[in-house]
Amino acid sequence: MKNLENYGVLELNAKEIKETDGGFWGTLVGALLAYAIIDAVENQDDFWDGVEYFI
């Protein structure tokens, strides 16, 4: 803690950490988005077949 005081900053409390991290729902949405992007890159044919289905 003394190192932080030298720079004039304070550590975050629990509420500030939750707001910064986005909480549970922010983490869940981020994980699902990352999965969707990785799946679309690895299986491009399936991705475009799905896009054509909705068009």
Side-chain angles (χ1 to χ4, degrees), residues 11-24 26-27:
E11 65 179 305
L12 298 174
N13 63 30
K15 181 181 177 189
E16 292 169 331
I17 291 172
K18 186 175 181 181
E19 290 173 357
T20 301
D21 290 342
F24 171 75
T27 303

Side-chain angles (χ1 to χ4, degrees), residues 6-50:
N6 292 338
Y7 295 106
V9 297
L10 300 172
E11 65 179 305
L12 298 174
N13 63 30
K15 181 181 177 189
E16 292 169 331
I17 291 172
K18 186 175 181 181
E19 290 173 357
T20 301
D21 290 342
F24 171 75
W25 295 111
T27 303
L28 179 63
V29 169
L32 291 174
L33 184 60
Y35 172 78
I37 291 170
I38 291 169
D39 186 56
V41 169
E42 289 181 351
N43 303 308
Q44 292 179 4
D45 293 335
D46 293 342
F47 173 78
W48 290 115
D49 288 343

